[in-house]
Amino acid sequence: MNPPPGRGSTPAPGRHHLRLVGYLVSLKERSGCSYARLASNSRTTGGTDGTGSVSATTLKRVVDLAQGVPVERAVTAYVRACGVGGEEEALRLWRAARAESRGRLAGLRAPHVDGIRTRADLAAALAAAYERAGAPVLRVLHSRAADAGIAGQVLLPLSTVWRTAGRRGLPATWKQCAAFLRGCGVPARHMGRWEEAWERAVASRTAVRGRSLSHPARGALARRGRTPSPVINWTPELEQSLMTLAKALAIYAEDVKPMTDNMARTAVMVGKTVGGLQLERSGMVAVNALSALLHSLKSTARLNGLGPSSSVNGHFPPVVQGGGALAPGAG
């Protein structure tokens, strides 16, 4: 049975792919080497970036249009084996060919970095930067994201790369955003403009939330009888207060066995307060750590048969240790 027309056929190469292959072939001609010789050269020209030595068969596939756009490390190994330079231009052509073959760049409709105003603009622009970089594999992106001796894996979690590259979310902090941009090959001289764009996008979210507080709740919020949560801008002082509280609660969890009913009620109150805040994402690390601790405290209270009792007139008493009082949220 013959396959339907078009099924099983190789897509026609794009113009950027044609230019890439033409350029690579010209480098081989300039080198005057056979593929066997290039394969031998690759054993000595392979660097520490994972290119290594490649076989003659692999080198032939790099310039075979029917094989599709080759991987980046194969292109790098090919150029270095030729020994006539041209690596930067080859990689520029490769990135264009890779973005063309993936076919996602045009659909993003990403604004120029100076035109970024909202979080949606920023998400599209970051995803476009990833596509223009040739959608590098995680290992390559992490190696390029490193900064000041800090490994890219530390600066940029895998989940952040996945969300940002797929336009599913944004990095939590500017440092993560900068690491992602470095991983995509954005030059350091452009980082200032990107940081300004980041600040505009974050400010636009805060402004929208601020306006929502000045008007009655609408839609789903109104139907459920809810009002928007207060907006809290993350500050070093707020982080210090939360972390101080977390340390104090940890001391109680360690020293007070069984947990007092007073302690359990305070843990519940702080947990509800933290959970009801809309915090900037840069502060969510401390908040998540505190929330996890409070969850553990409440579980301990239930195990001890000291389930939190109801508040008195909407207030919970402070926790007292050594004659002093620790007001929830105080640093």
Side-chain angles (χ1 to χ4, degrees):
M1 179 177 180
N2 294 327
R7 177 176 293 182
S9 61
T10 303
R15 62 186 182 91
H16 291 297
H17 189 191
L18 290 170
R19 292 179 61 191
L20 170 65
V21 169
Y23 183 74
L24 294 177
V25 170
S26 70
L27 293 181
K28 177 178 177 297
E29 292 174 350
R30 286 169 55 190
S31 71
C33 297
S34 64
Y35 282 109
R37 182 60 183 174
L38 291 180
S40 178
N41 292 345
S42 71
R43 287 193 286 271
T44 58
T45 58
T48 59
D49 54 0
T51 53
S53 62
V54 291
S55 66
T57 301
T58 299
L59 292 171
K60 290 178 182 179
R61 289 175 178 170
V62 170
V63 291
D64 185 353
L65 290 171
Q67 297 294 323
V69 179
V71 296
E72 181 179 5
R73 59 184 177 81
V75 172
T76 302
Y78 185 105
V79 175
R80 292 177 181 176
C82 289
V84 292
E87 182 174 333
E88 183 176 348
E89 176 63 10
L91 290 178
R92 185 187 70 81
L93 293 172
W94 174 82
R95 288 190 291 269
R98 172 80 166 150
E100 178 184 57
S101 67
R102 285 170 61 85
R104 301 178 184 180
L105 191 56
L108 292 173
R109 299 181 181 178
H112 186 268
V113 61
D114 295 329
I116 294 174
R117 293 291 181 272
T118 66
R119 289 174 60 84
D121 290 343
L122 181 60
L126 290 174
Y130 179 77
E131 293 298 325
R132 293 192 187 98
V137 297
L138 181 62
R139 173 181 56 80
V140 173
L141 193 147
H142 271 164
S143 67
R144 294 171 179 168
D147 182 51
I150 304 177
Q153 294 91 331
V154 176
L155 292 171
L156 198 60
L158 172 60
S159 59
T160 300
V161 177
W162 180 80
R163 290 196 309 270
T164 306
R167 202 178 177 182
R168 302 174 183 90
L170 291 175
T173 65
W174 161 244
K175 288 184 179 180
Q176 285 189 356
C177 185
F180 181 85
L181 291 169
R182 282 195 303 272
C184 293
V186 174
R189 64 180 182 274
H190 294 162
M191 285 298 180
R193 294 159 68 186
W194 276 99
E195 186 171 8
E196 292 174 358
W198 166 272
E199 292 174 351
R200 287 194 301 270
V202 171
S204 72
R205 180 180 68 171
T206 303
V208 169
R209 286 182 172 179
R211 286 197 300 271
S212 70
L213 295 177
S214 62
H215 297 284
R218 301 173 183 173
L221 287 177
R223 288 193 297 271
R224 297 171 189 170
R226 296 169 55 191
T227 56
S229 299
V231 180
I232 302 298
N233 291 323
W234 190 256
T235 64
E237 292 77 15
L238 177 58
E239 180 174 7
Q240 182 62 38
S241 297
L242 282 176
M243 295 313 295
T244 300
L245 176 60
K247 291 178 182 178
L249 292 176
I251 292 173
Y252 276 104
E254 183 70 23
D255 296 340
V256 181
K257 297 179 181 179
M259 182 186 299
T260 65
D261 188 50
N262 200 25
M263 181 65 223
R265 285 182 288 168
T266 302
V268 171
M269 183 204 67
V270 177
K272 290 182 178 179
T273 302
V274 172
L277 297 178
Q278 294 181 5
L279 293 169
E280 294 297 328
R281 290 186 63 85
S282 57
M284 290 310 295
V285 174
V287 172
N288 289 339
L290 180 58
S291 297
L293 174 60
L294 294 173
H295 178 76
S296 176
L297 291 173
K298 288 186 287 184
S299 297
T300 303
R302 287 192 295 270
L303 289 175
N304 290 332
L306 297 171
S309 54
S310 59
S311 62
V312 179
N313 296 326
H315 299 283
F316 289 87
V319 177
V320 179
Q321 181 184 25
L326 174 65

